Amino acid sequence: MNNEKRRRARVQGGWCPPTNVRSDKDKPKSQPCPAWTNKTVDNPQSKNFTFEEPEEVRMKPPEKVLSKSGVYDLSETSNGLSRIRLFTDFFKSDQADWMFEQLLDELPWKQRSHRFQSEKYLEPRLTAWYGELPYTYSGTTLQPNPEWSPALQVIKQQLEERTGYTFNSMLANLYRDGHDSIDWHSDDEKSLGPAPVIASLSFGDSRNFELRKKPPTAENGDYTYMEHVRVPVTHGCLIIMEGATQADWQHRVPKEYHDRDPRINLTFRVIYSES
């Protein structure tokens, strides 16, 4: 019996590592010398550190979204006060429906071309012009067209009666889908006077109308940190730009890369002289 236990112990013990063998891994490792060993702690030529204020991180101002009717003062500079008036339902839906259909059918829509640095290109939208005097913009002159269509006469009369402004000309834009657009610009032609009032009526599908403040001379034309305003324009709404808005701000209707139905935009203005 004792021999059998000793045999089992020998067999079981064969699976265990020997306890009297020492591995190199078990040897004590020498500690590395401190970095300052054999060096002078007090260095008379040590550098004097001075605290420097961190450079100011310039942040892009958040975009402002105007979606409710009201009067909005955008800015005030030496040019004066820039202001827009927003009427989200200037024309009721049924009125706006009738006006959209009439304008789409009555106006002589045309895709005009412009020239930039000797290159000719087509406007990414259709336009129509009405006015007693010619109007020149982007190198293109629109000839007088005083014969306002019946629908335009109705719209113009209601616009003037309700706003108190009088207009003698109008540039219409037809955005056929989301790919049609108008790039950044200001309506600051000399023929419009020093502080033009532009009344912009919208019919049809909704689009984004955007404004950005012009940078000061020191910014060298960089708009990165300038104020940005977005107005979702809807069926039957009216935006009036007043004061120094054309002098101090630019506006546009950007492309939109999803389905959009046609939108008609009527921009009423006063032409004081030939461009």
Side-chain angles (χ1 to χ4, degrees), residues 116-128:
F116 179 73
Q117 295 181 352
S118 75
E119 294 293 331
K120 192 175 182 180
Y121 67 95
L122 290 173
E123 286 183 332
R125 62 193 178 281
L126 307 184
T127 60

Side-chain angles (χ1 to χ4, degrees), residues 33-242:
C33 295
W36 45 263
T37 302
N38 298 326
K39 293 185 180 180
T40 303
V41 176
D42 296 329
N43 185 356
Q45 297 181 350
S46 61
K47 182 180 179 181
N48 294 325
F49 291 94
T50 57
F51 175 77
E52 296 181 358
E53 291 285 347
E55 294 184 5
E56 182 181 356
V57 178
R58 194 173 182 185
M59 302 297 291
K60 185 177 180 180
E63 179 186 65
K64 296 179 182 179
V65 180
L66 309 181
S67 58
K68 296 181 179 181
S69 296
V71 180
Y72 299 93
D73 293 342
L74 302 180
S75 63
E76 188 167 11
T77 68
S78 58
N79 292 320
L81 178 65
S82 296
R83 170 179 288 170
I84 65 173
R85 300 178 187 269
L86 174 61
F87 304 84
T88 57
D89 55 351
F90 190 78
F91 287 114
K92 300 301 181 183
S93 180
D94 56 343
Q95 293 177 306
D97 289 343
W98 178 85
M99 293 172 180
F100 176 82
E101 295 298 332
Q102 296 301 311
L103 295 170
L104 194 62
D105 183 60
E106 290 180 4
L107 270 57
W109 299 108
K110 180 180 179 181
Q111 187 171 23
R112 292 179 168 81
S113 62
H114 297 290
R115 190 172 295 277
F116 179 73
Q117 295 181 352
S118 75
E119 294 293 331
K120 192 175 182 180
Y121 67 95
L122 290 173
E123 286 183 332
R125 62 193 178 281
L126 307 184
T127 60
W129 166 254
Y130 289 84
E132 299 173 357
L133 295 173
Y135 178 51
T136 300
Y137 72 99
S138 299
T140 298
T141 298
L142 307 179
Q143 298 302 321
N145 180 20
E147 301 299 326
W148 296 66
S149 74
L152 281 178
Q153 293 180 32
V154 172
I155 295 171
K156 181 174 180 292
Q157 181 180 356
Q158 292 195 35
L159 176 66
E160 293 177 339
E161 289 179 353
R162 295 173 60 183
T163 64
Y165 286 115
T166 301
F167 304 98
N168 65 4
S169 56
M170 186 277 301
L171 178 63
N173 297 282
L174 171 58
Y175 300 89
R176 295 161 292 184
D177 53 35
H179 297 288
D180 276 359
S181 63
I182 186 169
D183 206 358
W184 290 114
H185 70 285
S186 299
D187 297 321
D188 54 2
E189 291 79 15
K190 291 183 178 180
S191 61
L192 299 176
V197 173
I198 309 294
S200 175
L201 274 167
S202 293
F203 302 98
D205 205 352
S206 300
R207 292 292 294 267
N208 284 312
F209 177 78
E210 300 180 355
L211 301 103
R212 66 178 183 180
K213 196 171 187 301
K214 296 179 182 179
T217 305
E219 297 289 341
N220 296 316
D222 184 3
Y223 283 84
T224 303
Y225 301 104
M226 303 311 298
E227 297 173 69
H228 194 108
V229 177
R230 178 168 59 90
V231 186
V233 289
T234 54
H235 190 42
C237 85
L238 169 66
I239 294 176
I240 300 179
M241 295 180 281
E242 302 173 336

